[in-house]
C-alpha cells in the first residue's frame, strides 16, 4: 500500500473532512521555499506551511544547531532546572520584544501561549484582590483550538459544537477601515459597564489571520489600547501569526505607540522548525504573582516546557533575524507585493486587495458571502495545487505569505499562477 493510502487508513488530519478525502501529498524533503514529494515533484510553499516557516525549509543553520543540541541535551524538567538555550532565548526575545516586557513563560504552541496569557491576566486581577474576569476580543478573531483559546475566538463554525461550553466573552468589531469609530464606541460601552467587570482585552494586532487576513491600521488599534489603559484593562497581543517579521517589523506591536501588557508567540518563533510557544509579560504582571502565599503561584506548565531542542531552534532562527539580509528580503517581498497589488487592482472580480509587510490578500467577488466556507474555495485550491503552488485560500480569500528566502523569480511563479487563475475565471 502507498504511504498516502496507509495514511488515511490511520491518521486523522487537522481541519480535514475525512470522508472521501483526497490522498494527501507525501512530502519527503524541503529546501528553501520548495517542498519535494515522493515522486520528485516540487511544490512552492507560498503560505509558509500554515504561516510558520520564516527562513525556508530544512535551513542548514537551524538544522545544525538543532542537531548539536539534541546530541547534547534533549530535554530536562523545567521546574527547579534550566539550561543555557532557554536563558539565551529569553534574553534575546526580551531584546526584541516591546520595551516593557520583562519575563518569558514557555509552552508548546500558539494555543497554549494564549491559554497562558489568559491565565496570567485573570489571575493577575485575582492576586491583586480586584477580581475582574471579563474579557473583550474581536468578533472574528482566531486565537487557537483549546477551550480558552476557542472562547476568546469568534463564534463561527469552528467552535459551534462546543459553544455551550465556552466562557462568556464580549466581542467588538475589529477596527477595519471604515469601522474604527464603531469599534471604539463598542469598546467604550463595554468598559464603561462595570457589571461586565472587564480586566482583559485580547487581539490579533493589525491582521486577523484565520478570519481571512483581515487588516486594520495601527492608529485605530492604538486608540483601543489607549482606552484599555485608561480603564485599567490588561492588553494581550496575540502575535502568534504576526510576530517574527511577518508585518515588516519584528512584531506587529512595533507599529503601535502603545505597548501590550502580554505578548503571545509561536509559529515563527523557531523559524517554523518545531513546536514552541512563549508568553511574555511586563514586570507589573510578573510581580503580582510574587508572594509568600503559595496560592498566588501561576500553576501552569507542560511536560515539554522550555524544551532545549526547541529553544535551540528558536535561537538559531534569531541568528538569521540578526542578518541584515533577512530584513532586506522582508522589505523586498513587501515591495513586490505592492507592485503586484497594483496590477491586481485592475482585474475585474478582484476585491478588497490589502497588504501588510509580507502578507498580500484579496477576495474573489462572489455571490455567496466572503467566508471560510465559500464554495469557490475547493476549486481555487485545486487550480494552484495542480500547478504545484501551495496556496490555501480561506474561502474566497486568496493570500500569499511566503518564507522570507523566496526569490523574485519564485514570487513571480506564484503571481503568474494567480494571474492565470483570474484569467481562467474571466471567461
Ligand atoms: C495559529 C494561531 C494560533 C494557534 O496556534 P497553534 O500553534 O496552531 O495552536 C493562535 N493565535 C493566532 C493569531 C494564530 O494565527
Amino acid at each position: 500500500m502507498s504511504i498516502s493510502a496507509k495514511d488515511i487508513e490511520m491518521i486523522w488530519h487537522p481541519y480535514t473532512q475525512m470522508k472521501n478525502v483526497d490522498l494527501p501529498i507525501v512530502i519527503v524533503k524541503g529546501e528553501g521555499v520548495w517542498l519535494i514529494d515522493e515522486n520528485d515533484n516540487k511544490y512552492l510553499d507560498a503560505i509558509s506551511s500554515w504561516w510558520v516557516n520564516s527562513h525556508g525549509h530544512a535551513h542548514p543553520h537551524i538544522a545544525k544547531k538543532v542537531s548539536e543540541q539534541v546530541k547534547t541535551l534533549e530535554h530536562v524538567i523545567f521546574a527547579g532546572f534550566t539550561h543555557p538555550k532557554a536563558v539565551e532565548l529569553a534574553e534575546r526575545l526580551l531584546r526584541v520584544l516591546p520595551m516593557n516586557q520583562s519575563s518569558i513563560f514557555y509552552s508548546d504552541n500558539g494555543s497554549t501561549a494564549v491559554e497562558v496569557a489568559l491565565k496570567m491576566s485573570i489571575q493577575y486581577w485575582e492576586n491583586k484582590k480586584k477580581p475582574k474576569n471579563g474579557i473583550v476580543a474581536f468578533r472574528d478573531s482566531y486565537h487557537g483550538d483549546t477551550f480558552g483559546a476557542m472562547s476568546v475566538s469568534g463564534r463561527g463554525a469552528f467552535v459551534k459544537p462546543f459553544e455551550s461550553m465556552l466562557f462568556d466573552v464580549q466581542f467588538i468589531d475589529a477596527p477595519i477601515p471604515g469601522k474604527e469609530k464603531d469599534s471604539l464606541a463598542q469598546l467604550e460601552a463595554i468598559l464603561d459597564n462595570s457589571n461586565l467587570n472587564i480586566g482583559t482585552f485580547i487581539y490579533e494586532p493589525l491582521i486577523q489571520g484565520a478570519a481571512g487576513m483581515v487588516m486594520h491600521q495601527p492608529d485605530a488599534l492604538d486608540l483601543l489600547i489607549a482606552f484599555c489603559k485608561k480603564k485599567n484593562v490588561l492588553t494581550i497581543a496575540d502575535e502568534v501569526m504576526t510576530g517574527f517579521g511577518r508585518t515588516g517589523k519584528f512584531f506587529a506591536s512595533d507599529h503601535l505607540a502603545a505597548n501590550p501588557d502580554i505578548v503571545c508567540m509561536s509559529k515563527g518563533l523557531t523559524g517554523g522548525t518545531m513546536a514552541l510557544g512563549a508568553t511574555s509579560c511586563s514586570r507589573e504582571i510578573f510581580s503580582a504573582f510574587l508572594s509568600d502565599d503559595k496560592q498566588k503561584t501561576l500553576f501552569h506548565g507542560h511536560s515539554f516546557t522550555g524544551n532545549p531542542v526547541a529553544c535551540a531552534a528558536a535561537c538559531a532562527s534569531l541568528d538569521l533575524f540578526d542578518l541584515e539580509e533577512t530584513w532586506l528580503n522582508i522589505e523586498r517581498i513587501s515591495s513586490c507585493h505592492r507592485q503586484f497589488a497594483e496590477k491586481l487592482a485592475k482585474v475585474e472580480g478582484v476585491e478588497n486587495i490589502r497588504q501588510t509587510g509580507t502578507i498580500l490578500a484579496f477576495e474573489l467577488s462572489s455571490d455567496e458571502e466572503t467566508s471560510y466556507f465559500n464554495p469557490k474555495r475547493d476549486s481555487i485550491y485545486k487550480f494552484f495545487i495542480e500547478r504545484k503552488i501551495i496556496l490555501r485560500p480561506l474561502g474566497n480569500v486568496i493570500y500569499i505569505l511566503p518564507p522570507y528566502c523566496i526569490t523574485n523569480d519564485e514570487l513571480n511563479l506564484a503571481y503568474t499562477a494567480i494571474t492565470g487563475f483570474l484569467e481562467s475565471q474571466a471567461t
Side-chain angles (χ1 to χ4, degrees), residues 351-372:
E351 289 171 358
N352 292 329
I353 305 161
R354 51 206 182 248
Q355 185 237 341
T356 302
T358 65
I359 305 174
L360 173 68
F362 62 92
E363 286 156 33
L364 291 183
S365 58
S366 171
D367 300 335
E368 314 269 332
E369 72 170 330
T370 290
S371 92
Y372 188 82

Side-chain angles (χ1 to χ4, degrees), residues 15 50-52 108-114 141-146 149 153 203-205 207-210 238-242 264 266-267 275-276:
Y15 282 93
W50 249 344
W51 322 343
V52 301
D108 302 338
N109 57 65
S111 303
T112 55
V114 167
S141 58
Y142 176 77
H143 295 290
D145 289 346
T146 50
S153 294
Y203 54 89
E204 294 165 89
I207 307 162
Q208 295 179 273
D238 179 352
E239 294 258 12
V240 168
M241 191 279 281
T242 51
C264 307
S266 189
K267 294 200 166 113
L276 180 66

Side-chain angles (χ1 to χ4, degrees), residues 6 18 125 157 162 182 214 261 322 339:
K6 270 194 189 169
M18 297 300 292
W125 293 115
F162 316 104
D182 295 344
V214 178
D261 298 295
D322 281 344
Q339 285 168 32

Side-chain angles (χ1 to χ4, degrees), residues 318-343:
L318 290 181
D319 292 343
L320 301 173
F321 279 111
D322 281 344
L323 302 177
E324 197 192 3
E325 188 193 339
T326 302
W327 294 98
L328 292 175
N329 282 340
I330 288 171
E331 260 174 51
R332 177 178 52 79
I333 295 165
S334 307
S335 104
C336 287
H337 278 354
R338 270 193 298 277
Q339 285 168 32
F340 183 57
E342 279 172 29
K343 277 193 204 153

